[in-house]
Amino acid sequence: MSHRIFEITTHGPGLYEFTTDLARWIAGEGAMEAALTVMVQHTSASLVIQENADPEVQTDLAAFFHRLVPPTTDPSMAYLTHTYEGPDDMPAHIKSALLPTTLTIPVLNGRMTLGTWQGVYLFEHRSRPHTRRVMALLR
């Protein structure tokens, strides 16, 4: 069993791929069969496995979730009461509740068993820059 914390710097809403960092760490642990569990240690960001071939996929996903859950300055969100941390905060919590904050990926022969076009992403939901912590556990 092995663990590591990955710090991912964000500069606003969107998807930040860290597949290569995970793969490099796993390869350094040796050839093994294991389950990789990753968990973001924040309540306003998520984790997703998504296509990594066309960047428009990430752009469209971010745009969709912004439209689905707009900032509290949008009249449709006037019912929200948690607004003192900024107009993007409560919407970020809602997005985080809708999307996974933990992923499990099988590892065979020291490699994640992702599909050809799949990557692992931190999905940042806040507008200002953050350093997000993602705990990874090989077991």
Side-chain angles (χ1 to χ4, degrees):
M1 187 162 33
S2 179
H3 71 279
R4 178 169 173 196
I5 294 176
F6 291 86
E7 291 191 344
I8 301 165
T9 302
T10 67
H11 53 269
L15 285 85
Y16 296 82
E17 187 173 9
F18 65 108
T19 311
T20 302
D21 296 331
L22 286 169
R24 190 176 303 123
W25 170 63
I26 293 166
E29 296 297 308
M32 73 183 97
E33 293 184 3
L36 169 66
T37 301
V38 289
M39 184 197 84
V40 62
Q41 295 181 310
H42 304 274
T43 60
S44 56
S46 305
L47 297 172
V48 294
I49 295 174
Q50 199 45 252
E51 178 181 325
N52 62 2
D54 184 350
E56 289 179 351
V57 172
Q58 293 94 54
T59 301
D60 288 349
L61 279 171
F64 171 79
F65 277 97
H66 179 77
R67 186 173 178 181
L68 182 67
V69 188
T72 59
T73 52
D74 186 292
S76 69
M77 303 303 276
Y79 65 93
L80 296 176
T81 58
H82 178 75
T83 60
Y84 57 89
E85 291 184 52
D88 66 329
D89 186 49
M90 190 60 216
H93 292 302
I94 294 169
K95 292 170 190 173
S96 180
L98 293 172
L99 294 164
T101 56
T102 301
L103 301 172
T104 301
I105 303 166
V107 174
L108 298 175
N109 297 316
R111 296 182 59 168
M112 291 180 285
T113 58
L114 294 171
T116 303
W117 307 115
Q118 289 183 318
V120 182
Y121 292 85
L122 174 96
F123 198 162
E124 176 62 69
H125 303 305
R126 296 295 309 266
S127 296
R128 66 179 179 82
H130 284 84
T131 300
R132 300 300 194 171
R133 292 169 48 102
V134 175
M135 171 60 76
L137 176 67
L138 277 172
R139 185 179 167 120

